[in-house]
Amino acid sequence: MGKVVNKAEYPNHVWSYDFVEDRTERGGKLRILAIIDEYTRECLVIRVAPSIPASVVVEVLEWLFLTRGIPKYLRSDNGPEFVARAVCQWLKESSCQTLFINPGSPWENGYIESFFDKLRDECLNREVFHNGREAQAIVENWRQEYNNYRPHSSLGYLTPTWKGERATKVIRIDQVPKELRSRPIFSGAVTGQLLVTEQMGKNFRLGLVNYSKGARAKFHSHTSD
């Protein structure tokens, strides 16, 4: 994998997405969209269909943003589905910045490329799909196994799901210890949640999440006593 620009430092920092293609047993085209969190390596979704236009890409992202939060960056190549005006405008309105790799440089999107190598070697090349519905079910089962049951050496032999759970804790404002509430980040905080992202050693990061507004405050770094 080449040098990664804007390397992910915490969950929901950088996501990446791309397409791979396969065929049914009768030669029908299958487009497979995958989105991963580059920090945890978790595959957030896999969508399989004969065609996945820009409108469906927005639909998938919208659901993830509502259920998983909004990443700071979304990395992709310059494929027509990703550079489409509808997608770029929607991401801008959602306060998600795009990271487009240079044309003909797939190594700049190394995490998703590595993920697709595993998907193809361990699933696509071993299965014969009768139709798109069966392909979706089989690929989704593989995604669940990849996320929840397989340790990854790059994650210190944690699973992607476990990595995410260890890295992020969410608690209500009224559960925040009193000694922390004096910090400037909590000034005026009434609704929302505290997002604590685990860092190396004594360092950690705090950020408020207000789901009613669908936005996040900037993270602040701290050192525990």
Side-chain angles (χ1 to χ4, degrees):
M1 186 185 302
K3 184 178 179 180
V4 178
V5 178
N6 290 93
K7 187 174 181 179
E9 299 178 356
Y10 50 87
N12 279 8
H13 185 194
V14 185
W15 292 1
S16 58
Y17 62 165
D18 204 353
F19 287 96
V20 69
E21 292 190 359
D22 203 40
R23 297 279 176 177
T24 67
E25 64 175 345
R26 295 186 177 182
K29 182 178 179 180
L30 293 174
R31 291 274 278 170
I32 302 173
L33 169 67
I35 304 175
I36 67 170
D37 184 310
E38 292 189 1
Y39 182 78
T40 65
R41 309 294 202 276
E42 181 181 4
C43 178
L44 306 175
V45 70
I46 292 183
R47 175 69 68 88
V48 182
S51 175
I52 302 179
S55 59
V56 175
V57 173
V58 170
E59 175 187 307
V60 173
L61 288 173
E62 184 175 25
W63 174 249
L64 283 179
F65 284 15
L66 287 171
T67 58
R68 302 298 296 262
I70 302 172
K72 184 172 183 180
Y73 298 106
L74 189 57
R75 194 189 313 273
S76 73
D77 61 22
N78 293 272
E81 299 89 354
F82 303 139
V83 300
R85 181 183 299 273
V87 174
C88 292
Q89 182 62 33
W90 185 84
L91 288 172
K92 182 178 180 180
E93 293 173 355
S94 300
S95 300
C96 178
Q97 302 177 51
T98 54
L99 291 174
F100 292 115
I101 67 173
N102 291 316
S105 304
W107 56 87
E108 294 182 5
N109 205 4
Y111 291 113
I112 194 73
E113 292 295 329
S114 176
F115 172 81
F116 278 143
D117 286 344
K118 294 180 177 66
L119 173 63
R120 187 166 293 283
D121 289 344
E122 300 172 10
C123 182
L124 302 183
N125 289 346
R126 300 184 181 188
E127 300 288 347
V128 176
F129 303 122
H130 298 295
N131 50 53
R133 180 178 298 179
E134 182 183 67
Q136 178 69 71
I138 292 174
V139 171
E140 176 61 21
N141 285 339
W142 181 88
R143 184 183 77 91
Q144 294 294 333
E145 190 273 337
Y146 172 89
N147 284 339
N148 299 306
Y149 301 107
R150 180 190 307 170
H152 293 237
S153 59
S154 61
L155 301 178
Y157 295 95
L158 300 176
T159 65
T161 300
W162 193 9
K163 175 69 172 179
E165 290 175 349
R166 287 190 59 182
T168 306
K169 299 178 182 178
V170 180
I171 60 176
R172 298 195 310 269
I173 290 298
D174 58 8
Q175 295 177 324
V176 176
K178 291 182 178 179
E179 60 270 20
L180 286 179
R181 293 185 197 176
S182 61
R183 298 182 186 273
I185 188 176
F186 297 107
S187 177
V190 178
T191 61
Q193 292 179 309
L194 172 68
L195 179 66
V196 181
T197 301
E198 187 179 67
Q199 298 290 321
M200 296 298 293
K202 294 184 177 181
N203 296 322
F204 62 95
R205 294 154 61 87
L206 300 176
L208 287 176
V209 182
N210 190 333
Y211 290 116
S212 64
K213 295 182 179 179
R216 294 176 302 183
K218 292 182 178 179
F219 280 97
H220 298 263
S221 296
H222 300 280
T223 300
S224 60
D225 297 329

